Amino acid sequence: MAYETLIVEIEDHVALIKLNRPDAMNALNAALMSELCDALRGIEENDKARCTIITGTEKVFAAGADISELAEKSFTDVFCTDHFGKITRAFRNHRKPIIAAVSGYALGGGCELAMMCDFIIASETAKFGQPEINLGVIAAIGGTQRLTNAVGKSKAMDMHLTGRFMLADEAERSGLVSRVVPAKKLMEEARGAALKIADKSRMTTMAVKEAVDRSFETPLSEGLLFERRLFHSLFATADQSEGMAAFLEKRDPQFRDK
């Protein structure tokens, strides 16, 4: 897959998407977002890819939306084109697990991009923020919603209203990121997690992703029913039989995605 603003590789069933606009601190311009949508679609359709890592550089994950593209736009421009709508739908429709590996700045749209992934592994240098208020706007790719779900109302309000950054240690304590590792170990840790996921039954990883996502969108009673029905349905798969047999026989399971 050849792109202008991304580097995309697939190895050992793990897809790696590296944001590649170093001169613009990986700002999310129209080209990058379009290519990211295309890359996710290609990974979704590629049976070799079972888990994806999205990352930037050691200094910056993504510094936000490309303000040079947005500054002169009008309400009509952004409303009629549903600006940021396509990238939101691309992540929402992607059924395979996605890990964000974040080092350095993840601000504005960059923080939102990381939160659209299924979980975040951060380096000790990571800095998260939603400073859109300094531009006279608010977050537009889920920042007011996902950040609040992750860290609670008080911290989300603090970050959105003051524009302050959250450092990696606070992000881990607050539940925004799953783990924090040394910067030099970030990709090793992310790849290790992705390989573990890729080794599982593909149907089961998809079911986990759907069930956890459902918890944010339905009442508890409906979420519990959805979870239970997915659990029931997995008993129709060969992978369930293999997984339980392997456990009882004290061996590693050999999943076949059937």
Side-chain angles (χ1 to χ4, degrees):
M1 304 177 190
Y3 296 106
E4 292 183 3
T5 65
L6 306 173
I7 298 172
V8 180
E9 302 169 348
I10 299 176
E11 183 180 357
D12 297 331
H13 301 297
V14 174
L16 175 66
I17 300 176
K18 185 173 182 179
L19 308 182
N20 189 36
R21 293 191 71 210
D23 294 339
M25 297 184 71
N26 290 338
L28 309 182
N29 67 351
L32 187 150
M33 289 189 291
S34 178
E35 290 189 344
L36 185 52
C37 290
D38 184 75
L40 288 173
R41 183 167 56 251
I43 291 166
E44 182 74 23
E45 296 170 354
N46 190 331
D47 288 340
K48 293 181 180 178
R50 302 170 67 92
C51 184
T52 298
I53 300 169
I54 298 180
T55 193
T57 67
E58 190 170 324
K59 293 183 178 180
V60 60
F61 178 73
D66 193 327
I67 304 306
S68 66
E69 283 191 346
L70 291 176
E72 300 303 319
K73 290 187 181 296
S74 67
F75 166 78
T76 301
D77 294 332
V78 294
F79 181 77
C80 290
T81 60
D82 190 22
H83 203 79
F84 296 131
K86 184 178 178 182
I87 189 70
T88 300
R89 290 188 291 273
F91 275 84
R92 186 179 181 88
N93 294 333
H94 194 82
R95 301 183 70 197
K96 298 177 182 179
I98 306 175
I99 301 170
V102 176
S103 189
Y105 294 102
L107 307 179
C111 184
E112 292 170 296
L113 176 60
M115 290 191 293
M116 284 194 289
C117 299
D118 294 306
F119 63 94
I120 303 169
I121 299 177
S123 83
E124 294 171 330
T125 65
K127 298 178 179 66
F128 300 89
Q130 299 287 169
E132 289 88 349
I133 197 165
N134 296 328
L135 303 173
V137 293
I138 68 170
I141 323 179
T144 62
Q145 308 303 301
R146 292 190 179 91
L147 186 63
T148 307
N149 283 334
V151 305
K153 176 184 174 181
S154 185
K155 282 186 179 290
M157 282 288 195
D158 182 6
M159 292 176 69
H160 282 286
L161 289 173
T162 69
R164 81 170 180 91
F165 298 168
M166 179 181 280
L167 303 185
D169 58 345
E170 183 184 359
E172 184 179 29
R173 291 197 310 271
S174 302
L176 179 58
V177 308
S178 65
R179 52 186 111 163
V180 176
V181 299
K184 298 297 184 182
K185 295 281 189 179
L186 176 63
M187 294 312 299
E188 177 184 335
E189 189 82 6
R191 183 168 175 77
L195 286 170
K196 285 185 178 180
I197 293 169
D199 196 43
K200 312 300 183 189
S201 165
R202 180 170 59 181
M203 289 176 292
T204 309
T205 61
M206 288 180 174
V208 168
K209 179 167 176 169
E210 286 189 15
V212 174
D213 283 343
R214 183 63 66 98
S215 72
F216 292 103
E217 300 174 359
T218 61
L220 178 60
S221 59
E222 290 300 315
L224 289 171
L225 178 60
F226 183 76
E227 175 191 74
R228 193 159 62 252
R229 292 293 181 252
L230 280 177
F231 171 77
H232 294 161
S233 69
L234 290 169
F235 278 75
T237 69
D239 282 350
Q240 172 270 328
S241 297
E242 166 62 11
M244 292 191 176
F247 177 83
L248 293 173
E249 295 165 14
K250 295 181 173 55
R251 60 176 175 82
D252 292 333
Q254 301 298 314
F255 294 122
R256 296 182 295 143
D257 301 329
K258 294 182 180 180

